[in-house]
Amino acid sequence: SQTIHQWPATLVQPVGSPLSLECTVEGTSNPNLYWYRQAAGRGLQLLFYSVGIGQISSEVPQNLSASRPQDRQFILSSKKLLLSDSGFYLCAWSPRYTIYFGEGSWLTVV
Amino acid sequence: ELKVEQNPLFLSMQEGKNYTIYCNYSTTSDRLYWYRQDPGKSLESLFVLLSNGAVKQEGRLMASLDTKARLSTLHITAAVHDLSATYFCAVDEDNTDKLIFGTGTRLQVFP
């Protein structure tokens, strides 16, 4: 069966520090991968979308970036965090016609 | 730009009662998803609706899709406390597996 792992689960980072969130999917090949963000008490916003290694689509202008160095690995990064980057970050994958989410990463920028 | 609206945003209902959550979207799409989110948790997939007139049921929840009206409903029958959560609908933009989410409906079921 397919599983998705996301880490770290929680982190507190100072403004201006770098960020790296990682996501891996097991049990499938060439999945579509996504990064979503949920601000406190809000809906989900699609940040990045990838259909394959090195293929990244950015949906919202921001100081975040994403990379897909391997088929089942998706990384969300920032060189310098802003207070507004705080939120719940969710990695997701799609085997077609549905999307499954990881456990999420809570980021607090202080 | 695709927009997805849910109503109500908050719903407080008594156990045993019925209610419906509505999801409207602004452009044509024949794929709609319903998710559940418990506080502090990730999203759990409830239903995937892939065609006009699709209806799916699981326990006390039933979802339907009318692509002509650009409307999906999530009907709750005889609510129980365990259904308390936030429910999101999401629409597949251009059938690309990129989901645009509604604002969510926070449901609270009380005795």
Side-chain angles (χ1 to χ4, degrees), chain B residues 17-51:
Chain B
K17 299 294 186 181
N18 304 333
Y19 209 84
T20 300
I21 299 172
Y22 298 89
C23 175
N24 293 90
Y25 52 98
S26 60
T27 66
T28 57
S29 175
D30 56 5
R31 296 185 197 172
L32 191 133
Y33 303 76
W34 284 96
Y35 288 88
R36 168 182 171 146
Q37 186 179 36
D38 291 301
K41 302 294 185 180
S42 184
L43 275 73
E44 173 190 356
S45 178
L46 294 176
F47 300 108
V48 180
L49 305 170
L50 298 177
S51 62

Side-chain angles (χ1 to χ4, degrees), chain A:
Chain A
S1 64
Q2 299 88 359
T3 57
I4 180 168
H5 302 284
Q6 186 179 341
W7 70 93
T10 60
L11 64 166
V12 180
Q13 296 284 101
V15 169
S17 65
L19 171 73
S20 181
L21 301 178
E22 295 194 32
C23 172
T24 59
V25 181
E26 297 178 355
T28 186
S29 60
N30 198 31
N32 290 343
L33 296 173
Y34 312 82
W35 280 109
Y36 282 86
R37 177 172 61 195
Q38 185 178 32
R42 307 287 295 276
L44 276 76
Q45 180 185 39
L46 178 61
L47 301 177
F48 298 97
Y49 164 68
S50 173
V51 298
I53 296 175
Q55 300 178 63
I56 310 293
S57 296
S58 175
E59 300 296 316
V60 180
Q62 58 212 324
N63 72 324
L64 300 172
S65 62
S67 62
R68 186 169 177 174
Q70 301 180 43
D71 181 46
R72 290 171 289 174
Q73 183 184 25
F74 206 22
I75 299 172
L76 182 70
S77 304
S78 175
K79 293 182 179 179
K80 291 184 178 181
L81 285 168
L82 306 173
L83 286 175
S84 58
D85 291 324
S86 294
F88 190 39
Y89 288 81
L90 290 156
C91 180
W93 76 283
S94 172
R96 200 66 178 154
Y97 302 131
T98 194
I99 294 182
Y100 298 102
F101 287 86
E103 295 300 309
S105 298
W106 286 98
L107 169 65
T108 303
V109 182
V110 296

Side-chain angles (χ1 to χ4, degrees), chain B residues 2-81:
Chain B
L2 172 61
K3 293 186 178 180
V4 183
E5 296 182 347
Q6 285 180 239
N7 68 83
L9 298 181
F10 299 99
L11 178 55
S12 182
M13 56 189 299
Q14 193 173 18
E15 283 187 330
K17 299 294 186 181
N18 304 333
Y19 209 84
T20 300
I21 299 172
Y22 298 89
C23 175
N24 293 90
Y25 52 98
S26 60
T27 66
T28 57
S29 175
D30 56 5
R31 296 185 197 172
L32 191 133
Y33 303 76
W34 284 96
Y35 288 88
R36 168 182 171 146
Q37 186 179 36
D38 291 301
K41 302 294 185 180
S42 184
L43 275 73
E44 173 190 356
S45 178
L46 294 176
F47 300 108
V48 180
L49 305 170
L50 298 177
S51 62
N52 185 41
V55 177
K56 291 194 174 181
Q57 184 167 4
E58 180 72 32
R60 302 175 185 273
L61 300 178
M62 183 174 70
S64 65
L65 177 61
D66 182 344
T67 59
K68 294 180 181 179
R70 300 178 187 175
L71 170 68
S72 179
T73 61
L74 180 65
H75 187 72
I76 303 160
T77 302
V80 294
H81 178 72

